[in-house]
Amino acid sequence: MKIVYGPVSSWRLGKSLGIDLLCSEKKICSFDCIYCQLGKQSNKITRRKNFIKIKDMKKELNIALEKTYPDVITFSGLGEPTLAKNIDLVAKEIKKITDIPLAILTNSTLIGRYEVKNALKNLDIVIAKLDASNEKQFQEINQPAKGINFKEAVKGIKDFGEKFSGKLDIQIMFIKNNMNFSEEIADVVCEIEPDETQINTPLRPCAIDPLTEEQLSRIEKIFIKKNLKTISVYKSTKPKITLMDKIEIFKRRGGYKFEG
Ligand code: SF4
């Protein structure tokens, strides 16, 4: 697996060059979301460690930036990027190489930890996942590793947001299990006060059906009514881009075929 992949066309971030801090063929995550495009995993982890070498990342990034100029560089990959212990060092090295904004897609489970909070505060955009409004839903939809609970995940995002000077976004995956709780989820989001709320539904093949455009549009209205700046996957346009390496992107999307 390569560390640097893409760029990919992202409905929320534009032309995004991916940095895979886990670099594993298999999912490494503290969640096992029922809609995960990467399939099920039995071994959920919360212990952080180093998965990649910084010198390898630098080499790959320099080569990639000779060929492409993305809107954003994003920590993503097959699992939860904050599980990488050296994320802060990687971020610092990237900042030495380029001024391109640095983003992360996180499942929010470790954001309450001091060292994770500290690492993420140096990024420009943090997109934190929140799919539930209570513990029961959280367990049912996200199936977290032992010891992770809803209240602490929400508190972690809130505490982080209070001191973060970059852009904090909340991403919510709506499926049939949480669609009737959009009002309650929107109330939790209001407490967090993010810069933007991103309403999503699983459009890539997985075990769960996506909601329709009409269903997602009804949910979006609930969020807008609460004065939350909201964007929705069905209404967003993706930039047209030239892919450098289709196979690397294909692997990270659970075998999902895409145009490009
Ligand atoms: S957080 Fe992301 S990678 Fe982890 S299980 Fe959920 S969807 Fe899959």
Side-chain angles (χ1 to χ4, degrees):
M1 294 281 272
K2 281 185 175 176
I3 299 169
V4 179
Y5 66 96
V8 296
S9 178
S10 160
W11 66 277
R12 330 168 238 215
L13 292 166
K15 185 177 172 184
S16 163
L17 189 68
I19 305 274
D20 186 346
L21 295 170
L22 308 172
C23 242
S24 158
E25 298 279 344
K26 283 190 184 159
K27 176 162 86 174
I28 298 177
C29 199
S30 44
F31 270 172
D32 194 17
C33 304
I34 55 172
Y35 55 76
C36 185
Q37 64 181 4
L38 305 173
K40 291 187 85 53
Q41 73 167 2
S42 48
N43 188 25
K44 291 167 256 190
I45 62 162
T46 54
R47 189 150 170 244
R48 303 176 73 223
K49 65 173 201 169
N50 292 342
F51 297 91
I52 62 156
K53 290 199 175 106
I54 292 181
K55 71 168 174 36
D56 296 339
M57 181 282 300
K58 279 166 71 177
K59 197 169 148 197
E60 286 186 32
L61 182 61
N62 280 317
I63 294 171
L65 292 178
E66 277 170 21
K67 298 183 198 159
T68 187
Y69 194 87
D71 299 319
V72 66
I73 294 175
T74 310
F75 291 136
S76 185
L78 295 189
E80 173 51 33
T82 60
L83 283 166
K85 212 171 170 180
N86 55 1
I87 185 170
D88 52 339
L89 298 176
V90 176
K92 277 179 195 147
E93 287 303 321
I94 294 173
K95 291 280 179 194
K96 283 185 205 163
I97 296 173
T98 175
D99 291 336
I100 296 167
L102 194 49
I104 188 167
L105 298 165
T106 174
N107 68 15
S108 318
T109 51
L110 308 182
I111 203 167
R113 292 192 193 176
Y114 175 77
E115 62 280 10
V116 174
K117 233 185 269 181
N118 244 357
L120 298 194
K121 75 170 195 276
N122 299 315
L123 272 52
D124 303 287
I125 305 165
V126 171
I127 304 179
K129 181 188 285 298
L130 176 81
D131 297 334
S133 61
N134 59 54
E135 186 65 41
K136 191 171 168 279
Q137 245 168 47
F138 183 69
Q139 294 294 335
E140 179 188 307
I141 296 171
N142 302 119
Q143 306 190 108
K146 219 171 152 205
I148 292 176
N149 67 64
F150 174 72
K151 264 194 183 158
E152 276 177 33
V154 173
K155 185 176 180 315
I157 309 173
K158 250 176 94 181
D159 291 351
F160 173 75
E162 278 166 17
K163 300 216 171 89
F164 183 49
S165 56
K167 183 171 181 267
L168 174 65
D169 300 337
I170 295 293
Q171 53 163 337
I172 307 160
M173 191 65 96
F174 276 104
I175 52 178
K176 66 175 183 339
N177 307 55
N178 60 358
M179 64 180 275
N180 294 327
F181 295 88
S182 25
E183 186 90 38
E184 289 87 342
I185 295 174
D187 286 338
V188 180
V189 176
C190 284
E191 285 174 34
I192 296 170
E193 298 183 55
D195 294 294
E196 183 176 278
T197 307
Q198 301 166 351
I199 294 190
N200 205 354
T201 195
L203 295 178
R204 294 179 193 152
C206 69
I208 301 286
D209 288 333
L211 299 186
T212 63
E213 265 188 80
E214 205 189 328
Q215 287 168 323
L216 220 57
S217 175
R218 276 203 295 270
I219 292 169
E220 189 187 357
K221 281 187 191 133
I222 291 172
F223 279 73
I224 291 171
K225 230 174 152 182
K226 291 189 189 276
N227 290 325
L228 290 162
K229 183 175 176 247
T230 306
I231 60 166
S232 163
V233 66
Y234 281 123
K235 292 188 183 159
S236 300
T237 48
K238 287 177 163 190
K240 279 222 175 303
I241 56 165
T242 309
L243 297 171
M244 290 193 302
D245 192 340
K246 285 189 182 187
I247 293 168
E248 283 296 322
I249 299 167
F250 185 73
K251 281 193 266 187
R252 286 171 175 81
R253 293 193 166 177
Y256 167 67
K257 287 193 177 62
F258 54 91
E259 291 175 5

